[in-house]
């Protein structure tokens, strides 16, 4: 038996969490588009069925350090990217029952990971909770002693501001890393983020791929499938409901037609 849905998409990336039919689990939603190979962490946990209780919309536990480019449709203002760090999986299954303290660092690097210095670095900044830090002559800034409280689903948001020139020549990236300091079982989250301009007249180009890194499907509670690209398009996804089903939370949140 197969179900189908058709959804109009425009300049965004869509991550779809396909859960085992027996589990009523949740998933992530629509965020700004960016190019990468495996940017949403696999749904695995030391706490059964809980997922990773330290996560981010852009930062991951991947170690490939590939540049990831976030697309923008306007060149009028300096591009800003909001990165969140959460005490729950992006699937919103449950939150961590312990406070999480961590340090967030941001470095200006080129596509090869080499530090970028000089006067132009002052055009780049990171802002958190009303405090804005520019790189200045230093290629690295830090926010320390950050704490995600265990009382609820909590997240911190960091606004990364790039020089608008990077929209047409994305050769400077911010390598952002969130490193837990009080829970050894939590892995650091990191990503090398850049920006680029996508002309509104660009023809639609969309691709889909599974993005989990497990060696065997049985190691996962569910599967993440990403549709990424730009422009308008119509997408049809088909699956066998005898084995898997799409997350109910995802279906309800985005009002998918099945």
């Amino acid at each position: 038996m197969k179900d189908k849905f058709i959804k109009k998409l425009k300049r965004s990336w869509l991550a779809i969490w396909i859960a085992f039919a027996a589990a009523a689990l949740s998933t992530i939603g629509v965020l700004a588009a960016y190019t990468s190979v495996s940017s949403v962490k696999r749904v695995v946990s030391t706490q059964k069925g809980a997922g990773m209780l330290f996560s981010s919309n852009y930062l991951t536990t991947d170690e490939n350090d590939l540049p990831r480019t976030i697309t923008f449709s306007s060149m009028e203002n300096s591009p800003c990217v909001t990165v969140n760090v959460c005490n729950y999986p992006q699937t919103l299954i449950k939150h961590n029952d312990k406070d999480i303290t961590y340090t967030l660092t941001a470095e200006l690097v080129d596509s090869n990971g080499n530090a970028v210095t000089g006067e132009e670095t002052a055009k780049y900044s990171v802002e958190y909770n009303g405090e804005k830090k520019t790189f200045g002559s230093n290629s690295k800034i830090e926010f320390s002693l950050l704490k995600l409280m265990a009382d609820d689903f909590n997240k911190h948001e960091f606004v990364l501001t790039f020089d608008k020139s990077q929209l047409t020549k994305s050769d400077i990236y911010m390598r952002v890393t969130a490193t837990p300091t009080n829970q050894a079982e939590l892995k650091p989250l990191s990503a090398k983020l850049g920006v680029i301009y996508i002309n509104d007249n660009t023809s639609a180009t969309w691709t889909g791929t599974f993005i989990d890194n497990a060696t065997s499907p049985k190691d996962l509670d569910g599967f993440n499938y990403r549709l990424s690209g730009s422009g308008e398009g119509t997408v049809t996804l088909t699956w066998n409901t005898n084995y898997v089903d799409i997350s109910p939370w995802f279906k309800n949140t985005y009002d998918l037609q099945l």
Side-chain angles (χ1 to χ4, degrees):
M1 177 179 180
K2 295 183 178 180
D3 290 328
K4 296 184 178 180
F5 70 81
I6 299 177
K7 182 71 176 176
K8 289 281 186 176
L9 303 171
K10 185 173 183 181
R11 287 190 307 277
S12 61
W13 67 262
L14 184 63
I16 301 172
W17 195 54
I18 303 174
F20 286 107
L25 303 178
S26 305
T27 191
I28 58 180
V30 177
L31 300 171
Y34 64 93
T35 58
S36 94
V37 176
S38 186
S39 59
V40 175
K41 68 178 63 56
R42 66 185 200 172
V43 186
V44 203
S45 175
T46 54
Q47 301 186 40
K48 185 177 180 181
M52 296 295 291
L53 300 181
F54 184 61
S55 73
S56 170
N57 58 340
Y58 284 115
L59 313 182
T60 78
T61 57
D62 296 344
E63 299 179 356
N64 53 34
D65 200 33
L66 293 174
R68 298 164 186 179
T69 307
I70 299 134
T71 62
F72 287 81
S73 60
S74 173
M75 296 178 61
E76 295 181 0
N77 302 307
S78 296
C80 296
V81 178
T82 300
V83 173
N84 68 42
V85 178
C86 313
N87 69 340
Y88 51 85
Q90 295 296 292
T91 54
L92 287 170
I93 298 172
K94 65 170 292 184
H95 62 78
N96 203 309
D97 59 3
K98 299 178 182 177
D99 292 347
I100 301 173
T101 58
Y102 69 99
T103 296
L104 185 128
T105 59
E107 303 170 85
L108 279 187
V109 297
D110 61 21
S111 58
N112 294 317
N114 301 312
V116 174
T117 58
E119 293 182 359
E120 64 179 352
T121 60
K123 299 177 181 179
Y124 300 79
S125 65
V126 180
E127 182 175 351
Y128 166 68
N129 199 27
E131 181 182 6
K132 185 176 183 178
K133 295 185 179 182
T134 58
F135 287 91
S137 58
N138 192 350
S139 63
K140 183 178 181 178
I141 60 179
E142 180 178 286
F143 292 88
S144 59
L145 301 177
L146 301 173
K147 180 181 288 189
L148 288 163
M149 304 298 291
D151 59 344
D152 202 348
F153 289 84
N154 288 308
K155 69 178 178 180
H156 294 159
E157 293 186 335
F158 302 85
V159 180
L160 282 53
T161 301
F162 291 77
D163 177 14
K164 64 186 304 181
S165 69
Q166 294 305 298
L167 289 171
T168 54
K169 56 170 187 176
S170 187
D171 55 358
I172 296 181
Y173 296 81
M174 285 196 206
R175 181 162 56 202
V176 182
T177 304
T179 306
T181 56
N182 70 326
Q183 294 193 45
E185 67 274 17
L186 297 179
K187 295 182 179 180
L189 305 171
S190 184
K192 188 192 296 179
L193 304 174
V195 295
I196 195 169
Y197 169 69
I198 296 294
N199 193 306
D200 287 341
N201 296 324
T202 302
S203 58
T205 303
W206 289 85
T207 58
T209 183
F210 286 99
I211 58 175
D212 299 296
N213 297 323
T215 56
S216 173
K218 68 181 181 181
D219 294 335
L220 301 176
D221 296 320
F223 304 96
N224 292 287
Y225 187 78
R226 175 179 301 123
L227 300 171
S228 59
S230 62
E232 291 188 356
T234 298
V235 173
T236 300
L237 181 66
T238 306
W239 64 92
N240 190 328
T241 55
N242 290 327
Y243 302 101
V244 297
D245 200 358
I246 197 167
S247 160
W249 180 88
F250 189 90
K251 288 189 292 188
N252 295 334
T253 301
Y254 296 101
D255 191 25
L256 301 180
Q257 301 299 314
L258 301 179

